[in-house]
Amino acid sequence: MFALGPRVFEVSARRFLEGVHRTHGAPARAAAAALPGLSAVLDQHAAAVRDILDLGIDSAGQVSSTVLVAGYMRGLMDELTVPLAEPADWATAEWLHLRLAGACLLC
């Protein structure tokens, strides 16, 4: 029998990450080219997410990094009470925007 389970998770995760990359990853990288401090902040967020996923999940080695990062981002976004839009100014972006943009660096 052909098992679709892990493949479906991977495809769904990639689709979700593409959307977050469009709204947060790519715009933040473009802004970071002009704001070196933003680049450092994004790197710190990426490192924090990587540590959370590597050290905080027992079975992290058994799940693709794409699925793990997407799951982490979805967890953050599930707490929102209003839709999340791209920040108007990346120099003054809130923590959540920076965290999502930093996590995009891992994919």
Side-chain angles (χ1 to χ4, degrees), residues 53 57-64 68:
L53 297 178
I57 300 176
D58 292 333
S59 59
Q62 299 170 3
V63 179
S64 78
L68 288 173

